[in-house]
Amino acid sequence: MLRFVDTATESIDPYVDLVPAEQLGHVRELARELRGARILQLNATSYGGGVAELLNSLVPLEKGLGLDVQWGVMVAEPSFFAFTKRLHNGLQGAPQFEVTKDEVEAYMRHNTHVAEEIRGKYDIVIVHDPQPAPVQLLARDTTAKWIWRVHIDLSAYNRDAWAFLEERIEGYDAFVFTMPEFVPKPLDQSRVHCFAPAIDPLSPKNIALPADLRDRIVRWTGVQLDRPILTQVSRFDPWKDPLGVIRVYRELREKHKGLQLALLGSMALDDPEGWSIYDKITQVVEGDPEIHVASNFTGIGNLEVNAFQSASDVVIQKSIREGFGLIVSETLWKGTPIVAGRTGGIPMQLSDGEGGFLVSREEDWVPRIDALLSDGAEAQRIGGLGRERVRQHFLITRLLEDELGLMAGVRSAPASTATPS
Amino acid sequence: MLRFVDTATESIDPYVDLVPAEQLGHVRELARELRGARILQLNATSYGGGVAELLNSLVPLEKGLGLDVQWGVMVAEPSFFAFTKRLHNGLQGAPQFEVTKDEVEAYMRHNTHVAEEIRGKYDIVIVHDPQPAPVQLLARDTTAKWIWRVHIDLSAYNRDAWAFLEERIEGYDAFVFTMPEFVPKPLDQSRVHCFAPAIDPLSPKNIALPADLRDRIVRWTGVQLDRPILTQVSRFDPWKDPLGVIRVYRELREKHKGLQLALLGSMALDDPEGWSIYDKITQVVEGDPEIHVASNFTGIGNLEVNAFQSASDVVIQKSIREGFGLIVSETLWKGTPIVAGRTGGIPMQLSDGEGGFLVSREEDWVPRIDALLSDGAEAQRIGGLGRERVRQHFLITRLLEDELGLMAGVRSAPASTATPS
């Protein structure tokens, strides 16, 4: 079954002063080309997770640009999602992937229902991630153009999981990945496109806050603004090494008296590991009034994170492993310098001296952050360069440009052939 | 062990335009009287929960008023808190309360450590809730004045729990409860005071947001501003009847086409019941694009709640049981009318026609909300009266007035006698 998300329509006009003018011009031009095309964005959830967040920004703007776009969400029983979660893990490289007859049957049955609901109704269908992936095969609708948009890293796939999926996605006109590194080798590379994700500068996470409001939000958590602030925003997850952040901070404090650490985390729905790390952090931090741990259980939402990213002197992103790591762009957009692990999509967003520093060796964290804390003017200059890089490459208008450009491309391509990459 | 919270110092000046002038004048006068007194606020946690939130607003303002105040937090092993949680439940009326020798020993031992740390160092000690309650007895410090501030409802206590506590709190100079209804009968009424809690108009929950920011926050959740919005903010808890809210909403929608429902909930740390209710809600709501469920798992923090309370046409608080229900004052402070259950402290904050309506019978929810939705001008007038009531009685300055007044009173009372109520 399919459920449609009743999104707002947002004008692109308020973005004029924020984004590169040529991007905006090109987006408007592409939107004119696509006018009249019936477009469907199809995914598996309307809230929670990066995909829903992206669509939540994209779809209202596409509507505001005059496109005839709908956002459909798959409705299915929990066992369907339990299976697609395992498929997702397998595609990301989980060592085991097995599938029962019943699971295949349910996966294809749910997708058949969706395929029947959309057959003949759209000119362009963008299908997100593996849950609704077989819809193209099942719809047997050659009038429409089909784009499979993959938000996860498929480079180190489990062979069984890939074999299961491969035969069900072969017919797409185009495949879109986040980075070239995420593309599975066997895929027809001539149909592969790569769009980096992007941030919405007017979403609650990124919108500019009045300085007095921002300062009140930060002070209210007990963090003081007359002394330097080092912040990490991340899930409480070993891959973000929060305990390592505390070690780095304590070493820095020997030189930078009065330095405060803010650890802002979010806890996921079902993540027992997150809880045990959270407990460890609170134990380690107990009795240290300069370390402030806050989370979605103490009133921290998107706007509070925004305020901290903006008010911090330096942000640390001590990622050991990362997908794209869009939080780096969120941080840089506030002009705050960031010292981050050289992993996943982080080096794409940040280079040494432009936005902050990349770190590969454990012993480099302290000197890199120290350098930024010791020279405020230089830190500000480096942060400013980071903001400009985000403005050019990682704002939602650049993503709109990519997505609309691809749609215009596949639409004008002859039916049933591969699209040039 | 005792840990001190390193709070900011906040000036009272930014409150001038928000609070009644005479309250502010009186607060300043009382602060002058108390200058030089060494004051300790003592509780069991620096984050999470209403008490920590209150102290988070009060202590910085008391410091800003020139008071010599510290905020100390008890540090103890988890088994201590497991016991005090059971004591807390017993004092609130849980049918079973048993205590082992080891538990008594640990409870008294931790409190002895704290008592030794503070003995002789303060002129006034405000002890919050049952965890540190025996500190007064154990400190044997008759120079200091001792206030036991109770934030929970002790009117229907379990006898065994009360007997356990009673002999450990008899020596306090004053007892402060939230409402007269919460006071246990056996307590020496001549030493009992009642202070309603209060909201901080400059905290992230209540600070005025620029209209464009507020609107963006709300729209970003998918709720649209050109159609009416009904909102409930509450834990996903049977006592707040979220499924009942959905029923009421669906009935209202028959008349008010386009009415949207926002259910903003927060999920607690360890609340399996909350999860099962959340699941039920999402099932009931599935396929209904006009019902928006959001929580601390989808980026909702204090500021997002603030934005919704301000942007809603009507707020519903379908509480079956409630403590004080301070969320009513939070809502009314935004000038938004509220229809709420006649329970706990709600009737103190709201009366029919002044801030909204009180409901006792199930069949009254729909007509009361309907009346407010049908007459926008009247709804606004009623909301405005509610805001004024909050301004007079439920802002942090009124609470400061009460607390500072009591401190000045106990301080000037002769040593070791009961304080006049």
Side-chain angles (χ1 to χ4, degrees):
Chain A
M1 213 184 86
L2 201 56
R3 170 171 79 75
F4 289 98
V5 182
D6 178 30
T7 70
T9 298
E10 293 285 350
S11 165
I12 199 88
D13 294 343
Y15 292 75
V16 168
D17 298 330
L18 300 170
V19 305
E22 64 283 7
Q23 261 176 27
L24 205 54
H26 194 205
V27 162
R28 287 190 166 124
E29 201 178 289
L30 288 164
R32 272 190 297 274
E33 260 184 69
L34 284 164
R35 210 151 287 176
R38 299 160 305 166
I39 301 164
L40 176 68
Q41 301 267 13
L42 175 62
N43 82 323
T45 171
S46 62
Y47 59 85
V51 180
E53 194 176 316
L54 209 63
L55 289 172
N56 207 17
S57 286
L58 277 180
V59 175
L61 286 173
E62 291 177 346
K63 287 164 82 172
L65 286 161
L67 300 186
D68 176 8
V69 58
Q70 288 189 296
W71 176 4
V73 174
M74 272 190 95
V75 179
E77 63 221 25
S79 62
F80 171 87
F81 292 109
F83 168 68
T84 57
K85 171 105 199 194
R86 278 178 39 233
L87 175 59
H88 174 123
N89 291 342
L91 291 168
Q92 287 198 308
Q96 287 290 328
F97 179 76
E98 278 160 16
V99 51
T100 67
K101 249 188 186 168
D102 283 356
E103 285 169 338
V104 182
E105 185 277 324
Y107 181 57
M108 297 307 277
R109 175 166 42 82
H110 280 294
N111 272 291
T112 301
H113 291 322
V114 174
E116 283 164 1
E117 281 184 79
I118 67 180
R119 184 178 298 137
K121 294 197 182 126
Y122 298 96
D123 300 304
I124 303 166
V125 184
I126 305 184
V127 176
H128 295 262
D129 283 339
Q131 301 95 334
V135 155
Q136 181 275 335
L137 176 73
L138 296 164
R140 298 183 310 280
D141 177 345
T142 50
T143 324
K145 299 293 182 173
W146 294 83
I147 298 168
W148 190 40
R149 178 89 156 88
V150 192
H151 300 269
I152 55 181
D153 180 353
L154 297 198
S155 60
Y157 55 83
N158 171 302
R159 280 162 188 273
D160 298 327
W162 176 253
F164 175 83
L165 191 73
E166 190 176 24
E167 59 184 41
R168 293 173 166 86
I169 55 150
E170 286 169 337
Y172 278 91
D173 296 284
F175 306 103
V176 180
F177 287 81
T178 292
M179 306 204 297
E181 292 81 354
F182 288 5
V183 182
K185 288 278 175 311
L187 206 60
D188 172 4
Q189 303 294 314
S190 73
R191 281 178 281 164
V192 168
H193 303 253
C194 289
F195 304 164
I199 65 168
D200 182 347
L202 292 178
S203 74
K205 278 189 179 173
N206 300 305
I207 194 168
L209 300 174
D212 57 339
L213 176 63
R214 178 198 66 192
D215 291 353
R216 278 237 160 233
I217 294 169
V218 171
R219 284 211 309 274
W220 206 81
T221 66
V223 171
Q224 294 172 36
L225 292 160
D226 53 359
R227 292 190 279 121
I229 308 167
L230 175 69
T231 297
Q232 174 158 303
V233 180
S234 73
R235 286 193 36 185
F236 294 124
D237 175 325
W239 300 112
K240 315 296 177 188
D241 196 17
L243 297 170
V245 171
I246 294 172
R247 279 196 308 274
V248 166
Y249 160 74
R250 286 187 167 155
E251 207 173 316
L252 283 162
R253 195 169 54 180
E254 288 171 24
K255 179 170 171 190
H256 299 275
K257 305 289 174 208
L259 180 66
Q260 304 161 93
L261 176 65
L263 282 174
L264 303 191
S266 70
M267 221 73 91
L269 283 163
D270 44 4
D271 181 13
E273 200 179 20
W275 290 116
S276 85
I277 292 166
Y278 182 80
D279 285 344
K280 246 183 236 159
I281 292 169
T282 51
Q283 276 166 36
V284 169
V285 158
E286 186 64 70
D288 191 334
E290 301 293 10
I291 302 181
H292 300 263
V293 181
S295 75
N296 52 339
F297 287 98
T298 61
I300 301 293
N302 288 330
L303 281 153
E304 285 81 0
V305 168
N306 181 341
F308 263 92
Q309 288 170 332
S310 165
S312 297
D313 292 84
V314 179
V315 163
I316 174 171
Q317 194 68 29
K318 205 168 178 306
S319 301
I320 292 164
R321 197 194 277 174
E322 193 62 78
F324 189 76
L326 199 56
I327 195 156
V328 168
S329 286
E330 283 167 20
T331 305
L332 292 176
W333 179 243
K334 283 94 181 180
T336 303
I338 178 164
V339 179
R342 193 189 299 272
T343 178
I346 293 178
M348 206 168 159
Q349 301 167 72
L350 175 72
S351 62
D352 282 326
E354 193 187 358
F357 295 102
L358 292 165
V359 169
S360 314
R361 300 180 315 166
E362 195 57 29
E363 62 267 35
D364 290 341
W365 289 101
V366 170
R368 289 312 200 184
I369 298 171
D370 174 34
L372 291 166
L373 288 173
S374 301
D375 187 345
E378 178 66 0
Q380 210 174 346
R381 192 187 65 82
I382 289 174
L385 294 175
R387 177 174 164 101
E388 183 53 26
R389 182 162 170 162
V390 172
R391 204 176 79 85
Q392 292 296 334
H393 302 294
F394 300 108
L395 294 185
I396 195 86
T397 38
R398 195 271 309 145
L399 184 56
L400 273 169
E401 201 180 3
D402 285 345
E403 183 161 300
L404 269 50
L406 176 65
M407 286 198 270
V410 292
R411 200 186 177 204
S412 59
S416 293
T417 31
T419 319
S421 168
Chain B
M1 212 184 85
L2 200 57
R3 170 170 79 76
F4 290 98
V5 183
D6 177 30
T7 69
T9 299
E10 293 284 351
S11 164
I12 199 89
D13 294 344
Y15 292 75
V16 167
D17 297 331
L18 299 170
V19 306
E22 63 285 6
Q23 261 176 25
L24 205 53
H26 195 204
V27 163
R28 287 189 166 125
E29 199 177 291
L30 288 164
R32 272 191 297 274
E33 258 184 71
L34 285 164
R35 210 151 287 176
R38 299 159 306 165
I39 301 164
L40 177 68
Q41 301 267 12
L42 175 62
N43 82 323
T45 171
S46 62
Y47 59 85
V51 180
E53 195 176 317
L54 208 64
L55 289 172
N56 206 16
S57 287
L58 276 180
V59 175
L61 286 172
E62 291 177 346
K63 286 163 83 171
L65 286 161
L67 298 187
D68 177 9
V69 59
Q70 288 189 295
W71 176 5
V73 175
M74 271 190 97
V75 179
E77 62 221 25
S79 61
F80 171 86
F81 293 109
F83 168 68
T84 56
K85 171 108 197 190
R86 281 178 36 235
L87 175 59
H88 174 123
N89 291 342
L91 291 169
Q92 287 197 308
Q96 287 291 327
F97 179 77
E98 278 159 16
V99 52
T100 67
K101 248 190 185 167
D102 283 355
E103 285 169 337
V104 182
E105 187 277 323
Y107 181 58
M108 296 307 276
R109 175 167 41 83
H110 280 294
N111 273 291
T112 301
H113 291 323
V114 174
E116 283 164 3
E117 281 185 79
I118 67 180
R119 184 178 299 136
K121 294 199 183 125
Y122 298 96
D123 300 303
I124 302 166
V125 184
I126 305 185
V127 176
H128 295 262
D129 282 340
Q131 300 96 333
V135 155
Q136 180 276 335
L137 176 72
L138 296 163
R140 298 185 310 279
D141 176 346
T142 50
T143 324
K145 298 294 183 174
W146 295 84
I147 297 168
W148 191 40
R149 178 90 155 87
V150 191
H151 299 271
I152 55 182
D153 180 352
L154 296 198
S155 60
Y157 55 83
N158 171 301
R159 279 161 189 271
D160 297 327
W162 176 253
F164 176 83
L165 191 73
E166 190 176 25
E167 58 185 41
R168 293 173 165 85
I169 54 151
E170 286 169 337
Y172 277 91
D173 297 284
F175 305 103
V176 180
F177 288 81
T178 292
M179 305 203 299
E181 292 80 354
F182 288 5
V183 181
K185 288 279 176 310
L187 206 58
D188 173 5
Q189 304 292 315
S190 73
R191 280 179 281 164
V192 167
H193 304 254
C194 288
F195 305 163
I199 67 168
D200 181 348
L202 293 178
S203 75
K205 278 189 180 173
N206 299 306
I207 194 168
L209 300 173
D212 57 340
L213 176 63
R214 179 198 66 193
D215 290 353
R216 278 239 159 230
I217 294 169
V218 171
R219 285 211 308 274
W220 206 83
T221 66
V223 171
Q224 293 172 37
L225 292 161
D226 53 358
R227 292 189 278 121
I229 308 167
L230 175 68
T231 297
Q232 173 157 304
V233 179
S234 72
R235 287 196 31 188
F236 294 123
D237 174 325
W239 300 111
K240 315 295 177 187
D241 196 17
L243 298 170
V245 171
I246 295 172
R247 281 196 306 275
V248 166
Y249 160 74
R250 286 187 166 153
E251 206 172 316
L252 284 161
R253 197 168 53 180
E254 288 171 23
K255 178 169 171 192
H256 300 275
K257 305 289 175 209
L259 181 65
Q260 303 160 94
L261 175 64
L263 282 175
L264 303 191
S266 69
M267 221 72 91
L269 284 163
D270 44 4
D271 181 13
E273 199 179 18
W275 290 115
S276 85
I277 293 167
Y278 182 79
D279 285 344
K280 246 182 235 159
I281 292 170
T282 52
Q283 276 166 37
V284 169
V285 159
E286 186 64 70
D288 190 334
E290 301 292 10
I291 302 181
H292 300 263
V293 181
S295 75
N296 52 338
F297 287 98
T298 61
I300 300 293
N302 288 329
L303 282 153
E304 285 81 1
V305 168
N306 180 341
F308 264 91
Q309 287 170 332
S310 165
S312 297
D313 293 84
V314 178
V315 162
I316 173 170
Q317 193 68 30
K318 203 167 179 305
S319 302
I320 292 165
R321 196 196 278 176
E322 193 62 77
F324 189 77
L326 198 56
I327 195 157
V328 168
S329 286
E330 282 168 21
T331 305
L332 292 176
W333 179 243
K334 283 95 182 179
T336 303
I338 178 163
V339 179
R342 193 188 299 272
T343 176
I346 293 178
M348 206 168 157
Q349 300 166 74
L350 175 72
S351 63
D352 281 326
E354 193 187 358
F357 295 102
L358 293 164
V359 169
S360 315
R361 301 180 315 167
E362 196 56 31
E363 63 265 36
D364 290 340
W365 289 100
V366 170
R368 289 311 200 184
I369 298 171
D370 173 35
L372 290 166
L373 289 173
S374 301
D375 187 346
E378 177 67 359
Q380 211 175 345
R381 193 186 65 81
I382 288 174
L385 294 175
R387 177 174 164 100
E388 184 53 26
R389 182 162 171 164
V390 171
R391 203 176 80 86
Q392 292 296 335
H393 302 293
F394 300 107
L395 295 186
I396 195 85
T397 37
R398 195 272 309 145
L399 183 56
L400 273 169
E401 201 181 2
D402 285 345
E403 184 162 299
L404 270 48
L406 177 65
M407 285 198 270
V410 291
R411 200 186 176 203
S412 60
S416 293
T417 30
T419 319
S421 169

